[in-house]
């Protein structure tokens, strides 16, 4: 699915003469069935440096549902502009593995809007099924900074723990080309990841890495060998490219339930905080 019409619609909606929607989200669900193609998945796995196995990385399922998410968020009836929205967190429940060759039935809808200290959020809710069995659910939260909506629902905000940077167990050198490489395998051609001028237009001095690239690569490094688990992700400071970032476990270990982070090794500031835990177990990250 081409994302160009979606981005064009989002830009038009953001213009001063664009549609002026109400305050409610459209009651709409988009469904799509996609077969997991081995070649396409291998390209994704290579970019995020994931081991290539029969089991599909949940970040790839996010990628497959992403065009449907953007199609919903760019709907003129949505009361917040897609342009400028910030991806702040994800919660993915992996109920059982998805494998190469499976046909995945996606169902995508919106929830909210929710009041947030910094503006208003909308959740994109994804359900993935294989042969009628739910195999994964995902909630992706987007923040419209500074936008307030009368009637937005109150929602408890997850507490953010203080982050103390550990010694990195790995250092990743990220060059600007990674934005183009991830865009090619994910379909996310948001210009803030590809063009310095566009990035500056949104307040970034340089292009920034895709958040889901960083989160997916971190999960690949953690490589949980669990049949079912919950993957929580919290996005903090964007990665300005080029950059060298650190990766380390803050609790647990590789192949197991664990907490891990991608961070600035010089300043100790987090970029992405992640947790893999048994499903329905509490997590400390926001």
């Amino acid at each position: 699915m081409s994302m160009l019409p979606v981005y064009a619609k989002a830009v038009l909606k953001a213009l001063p003469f664009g549609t002026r929607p109400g305050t409610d989200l459209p009651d709409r669900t988009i469904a799509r069935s996609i077969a997991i193609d081995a070649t396409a998945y291998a390209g994704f796995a290579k970019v995020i440096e994931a081991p290539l196995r029969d089991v599909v990385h949940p970040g790839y399922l996010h990628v497959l549902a992403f065009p449907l998410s953007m199609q919903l968020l760019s709907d003129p009836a949505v009361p917040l502009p897609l342009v400028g929205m910030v991806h702040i967190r994800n919660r993915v429940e992996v109920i059982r593995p998805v494998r190469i060759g499976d046909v995945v039935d996606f169902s995508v809808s919106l929830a909210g809007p929710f009041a947030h200290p910094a503006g208003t959020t909308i959740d994109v809710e994804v359900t993935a099924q294989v042969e009628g069995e739910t195999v994964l659910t995902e909630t992706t939260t987007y923040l419209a900074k500074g936008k307030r909506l009368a009637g937005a629902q109150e929602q408890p905000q997850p507490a953010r723990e203080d982050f103390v940077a550990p010694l990195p167990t790995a250092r990743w050198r990220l060059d600007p080309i990674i934005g183009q490489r991830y865009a090619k395998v994910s379909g996310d051609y948001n210009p803030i990841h590809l063009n310095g001028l566009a990035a500056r237009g949104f307040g970034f001095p340089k292009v920034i890495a895709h958040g889901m690239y960083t989160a997916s690569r971190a999960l690949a490094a953690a490589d949980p060998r669990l049949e079912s688990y919950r993957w929580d992700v919290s996005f903090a400071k964007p990665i300005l490219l080029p950059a060298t970032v650190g990766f380390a476990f803050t609790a647990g270990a590789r192949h197991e339930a664990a907490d891990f982070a991608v961070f600035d090794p010089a300043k100790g500031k987090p970029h992405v905080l992640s947790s893999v835990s048994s499903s329905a177990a509490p997590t400390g990250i926001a």
Side-chain angles (χ1 to χ4, degrees), residues 203-252:
F204 302 106
K206 301 177 182 179
V207 294
I208 64 173
H210 291 79
M212 283 305 294
Y213 160 77
T214 310
S216 295
R217 184 169 173 180
L219 185 68
D223 194 16
R225 303 289 178 90
L226 305 171
E227 283 292 304
S228 62
Y229 59 90
R230 189 173 75 196
W231 175 33
D232 282 291
V233 182
S234 176
F235 297 97
K237 185 178 176 63
I239 299 174
L240 304 178
L241 299 176
T244 297
V245 299
F247 169 85
F249 289 94
T250 54

Side-chain angles (χ1 to χ4, degrees), residues 27 91 119 122 128 197 202 248 268:
D27 184 12
R91 170 162 289 177
I122 291 177
L197 188 61
F202 285 94

Side-chain angles (χ1 to χ4, degrees), residues 21-27 76-80 112-113 122 149-153:
T23 59
D24 296 326
L25 296 183
D27 184 12
V78 172
L80 296 168
I122 291 177
L149 291 179
Q153 304 171 52

